[in-house]
Amino acid sequence: MQVPFSAITYLKNDFTTEVPFMSSVYNQCLYNHVDAMNAILHIWTTPKQVALGPRDKQLPNFSAAVAWLAANDYTMYNRNAGGLAVIGDTDILNASLIFQQPATPLSIDEAYQLVVKLLQKALPDLTLTTGEVATSYCPGTYDISVNGQKIAGLAQHRYQNKIAVSFYLSVAGDQAYRCEIIRQMYLIGLQSKTITPPYPDIQASSMTTLASLNTNYSLERVVTNLTHNWFPMMAFDRNLISATTLQTYIDRLQRRQSPIIGALTN
């Protein structure tokens, strides 16, 4: 498959809790800075955070589920890609490859394959497998696994003629704890002792981190590999995004967060 761009710049952010959905704000801004030749790789980390998918809002006891997350010091936001909850913290690396749909449009699978290739280049010492890990959180066709354990998950969002393929990568930290947080969220939200479809019956043994695999991949090394091993990338000029533009998208995306705000105030 031909790569639908000839250059990539990258932008790295380390977000705070002030605006939980700031990654989505930047992605929306960055759509305006890609074209037929130039893509952008947006890389970021967050504090303790859960990105909720559309199906999560349908939990029978959604208010109690988000209250559980808040009680465990997680901020939350509604994401615009993917169907179910994923967790974030400073040991999880997130990224979105943002590019313009080419004249011969890429299928959903073809767009995902670009990021699979990016991850393979960033983790050359590992044999990565693509396929759903049903007992992970937010299982999907483009789960990325090593020896049967999920280390990353992919999601995709399309806006007009722009595409963002996003992933999280569990670099280090307590993956069993992360699994238990999301598992308890679903048990509470379902008001049940068991988790039933469409929500995953999360098992900690189905997920792992790069650190637990005894690799030498620190977060910093992964970022370096992402920005050098496939395309040598120059840094995006963040001054091209004004404070006014950021605030416009914050205000626009804030409306999407109303289900969470309502649940926490009930």
Side-chain angles (χ1 to χ4, degrees), residues 4-266:
F5 41 77
S6 57
I8 310 176
T9 53
Y10 75 92
L11 176 65
K12 173 73 164 55
N13 280 308
D14 296 304
F15 292 121
T16 66
T17 59
E18 185 176 358
V19 180
F21 52 93
M22 204 64 184
S23 58
S24 297
V25 170
Y26 266 91
N27 279 4
Q28 288 289 326
C29 292
L30 292 171
Y31 284 138
N32 300 320
H33 294 275
V34 297
D35 56 34
M37 303 295 289
N38 298 284
I40 298 172
L41 182 67
H42 179 208
I43 305 167
W44 72 91
T45 61
T46 71
K48 291 174 64 174
Q49 183 179 88
V50 173
L52 297 166
R55 291 181 182 175
D56 297 316
K57 292 180 289 184
Q58 298 170 9
L59 285 164
N61 199 6
F62 180 66
S63 295
V66 297
W68 155 260
L69 295 175
N72 284 274
D73 300 320
Y74 282 90
T75 59
M76 293 146 273
Y77 74 98
N78 289 316
R79 62 193 184 122
N80 58 8
L84 292 166
V86 295
I87 202 165
D89 57 49
T90 54
D91 286 318
I92 293 177
L93 190 68
N94 307 276
S96 292
L97 179 63
I98 303 170
F99 57 96
Q100 183 170 297
Q101 179 74 282
T104 301
L106 292 186
S107 69
I108 290 174
D109 285 343
E110 287 172 331
Y112 275 128
Q113 286 297 331
L114 289 173
V115 169
V116 172
K117 183 173 183 178
L118 173 64
L119 284 168
Q120 288 172 333
K121 293 289 186 180
L123 305 170
D125 302 329
L126 298 178
T127 300
L128 304 182
T129 301
T130 303
E132 182 179 89
V133 179
T135 54
S136 66
Y137 50 72
C138 196
T141 304
Y142 282 91
D143 292 341
I144 306 296
S145 305
V146 176
N147 299 325
Q149 291 182 293
K150 181 174 173 177
I151 60 168
L154 277 61
Q156 188 171 156
H157 181 245
R158 298 187 173 212
Y159 175 75
Q160 296 178 356
N161 67 332
K162 309 297 171 60
I163 300 173
V165 183
S166 304
F167 68 86
Y168 76 84
L169 175 65
S170 295
V171 178
D174 190 341
Q175 189 59 44
Y177 173 77
R178 295 173 185 137
C179 289
E180 186 60 22
I181 286 290
I182 302 301
R183 179 176 175 80
Q184 288 299 320
M185 181 196 81
Y186 285 130
L187 289 171
I188 292 167
L190 289 167
Q191 299 175 299
S192 174
K193 294 182 179 180
T194 59
I195 301 175
T196 54
Y199 305 102
D201 185 14
I202 300 162
Q203 304 297 323
S205 60
S206 68
M207 304 185 74
T208 192
T209 68
L210 293 179
S212 295
L213 292 169
N214 295 317
T215 68
N216 293 317
Y217 288 110
S218 65
L219 192 144
E220 292 76 16
R221 183 184 174 194
V222 174
V223 170
T224 297
N225 287 358
L226 285 171
T227 56
H228 288 79
N229 286 11
W230 186 27
F231 278 74
M233 302 182 195
M234 300 292 289
F236 176 82
D237 182 0
R238 65 175 60 246
N239 292 320
L240 293 172
I241 302 176
S242 69
T244 300
T245 299
L246 284 174
Q247 190 60 54
T248 296
Y249 282 107
I250 289 171
D251 294 341
R252 186 176 300 173
L253 294 178
Q254 180 68 46
R255 293 190 288 272
R256 189 180 296 154
Q257 309 310 313
S258 56
I260 294 175
I261 296 168
L264 288 172
T265 55
N266 284 343

